Amino acid sequence: GAGVSQTPSNKVTEKGKYVELRCDPISGHTALYWYRQSLGQGPEFLIYFQGTGAADDSGLPNDRFFAVRPEGSVSTLKIQRTERGDSAVYLCASSGGSGAGYTFGSGTRLTVV
Amino acid sequence: QQPVQSPQAVILREGEDAVINCSSSKALYSVHWYRQKHGEAPVFLMILLKGGEQKGHDKISASFNEKKQQSSLYLTASQLSYSGTYFCGTEMGGATNKLIFGTGTLLAVQP
């Protein structure tokens, strides 16, 4: 597509529930990143995909967080047993590779109540 | 590990200049600069690669001093549209080209 698309744009869920956040990157971009951003803070790295594989998942806070990119394009970030502290804007970005800038999606605002 | 930006916030009148600094404790391969308006996603401005280059477009330019592990963003003759939060993103190279974003600088340009 022309840009990075993220769905849903907003998600409200109850504590303890499971959520999935979807990211559709720019066509042809092999690098895909997930970040989360809390109010007043910079984006915090979660995970990086190169193609289908997770090249760096060192930012995932714990084992409740998991992400996949089975066909090398669309990615899904999965959060199990959500906690109120998971509330944030989850941003996805894609890139044409090293030396290229990131294009961010509009984000998914996750609120855990 | 998070790069430190200074100043934290700056208020300008239209037409004034500003400099935003980004400092890292780690050796850097590249530095990115992004601008984020309230409620929107960060937008890529430019990337500077190892080699100490300087770049610019329109009235926004940046420099990268890899020895000092620092980068600076220069905004000249500021416009109202420059308002937003500016983030540097640093990349250390190696197997991953993930960015670590800085603490952010809030820029407000007033008429």
Side-chain angles (χ1 to χ4, degrees):
Chain A
V4 177
S5 174
Q6 290 188 246
T7 55
S9 55
N10 277 286
K11 177 71 178 178
V12 180
T13 191
E14 291 181 347
K15 180 175 175 295
K17 297 289 189 183
Y18 167 84
V19 295
E20 289 190 352
L21 311 180
R22 176 189 165 104
C23 173
D24 196 347
I26 290 175
S27 179
H29 279 189
T30 57
L32 184 147
Y33 308 83
W34 284 98
Y35 285 80
R36 73 176 175 182
Q37 188 173 29
S38 300
L39 193 62
Q41 306 293 318
E44 174 194 6
F45 172 76
L46 296 176
I47 187 169
Y48 157 55
F49 285 91
Q50 182 60 249
T52 60
D56 185 341
D57 64 358
S58 61
L60 294 177
N62 50 59
D63 61 6
R64 295 187 298 105
F65 289 74
F66 189 71
V68 295
R69 194 186 185 197
E71 297 177 359
S73 55
V74 171
S75 176
T76 304
L77 178 66
K78 308 179 181 195
I79 310 174
Q80 297 179 322
R81 305 183 303 281
T82 51
E83 300 177 357
R84 293 198 179 87
D86 298 336
S87 297
V89 175
Y90 287 80
L91 293 166
C92 175
S94 69
S95 166
S98 183
Y102 291 10
T103 300
F104 281 90
S106 299
T108 293
R109 180 175 298 278
L110 176 66
T111 305
V112 183
V113 297
Chain B
Q1 189 175 356
Q2 183 181 29
V4 176
Q5 291 182 229
S6 62
Q8 288 185 321
V10 59
I11 300 174
L12 298 175
R13 293 283 183 196
E14 262 187 301
E16 291 182 338
D17 302 340
V19 180
I20 299 171
N21 300 301
C22 173
S23 182
S24 173
S25 60
K26 305 276 187 179
L28 302 176
Y29 173 75
S30 74
V31 178
H32 294 216
W33 284 96
Y34 292 79
R35 175 170 60 217
Q36 185 175 29
K37 293 187 179 284
H38 184 68
E40 299 179 8
V43 173
F44 173 69
L45 295 176
M46 66 186 76
I47 180 174
L48 299 107
L49 300 176
K50 191 175 174 181
E53 63 175 341
Q54 183 152 353
K55 268 194 176 179
H57 62 84
D58 199 9
K59 297 186 174 73
I60 301 175
S61 62
S63 63
F64 176 26
N65 185 325
E66 63 189 86
K67 286 185 181 177
K68 292 186 177 179
Q69 295 155 195
Q70 292 175 345
S71 178
S72 295
L73 185 71
Y74 307 94
L75 302 111
T76 58
S78 58
Q79 306 167 16
L80 295 176
S81 62
Y82 287 4
S83 293
T85 301
Y86 288 77
F87 292 101
C88 64
T90 57
E91 179 191 354
M92 287 177 281
T96 174
N97 65 332
K98 74 184 182 193
L99 292 183
I100 304 299
F101 284 90
T103 49
T105 296
L106 177 62
L107 177 74
V109 181
Q110 298 179 341

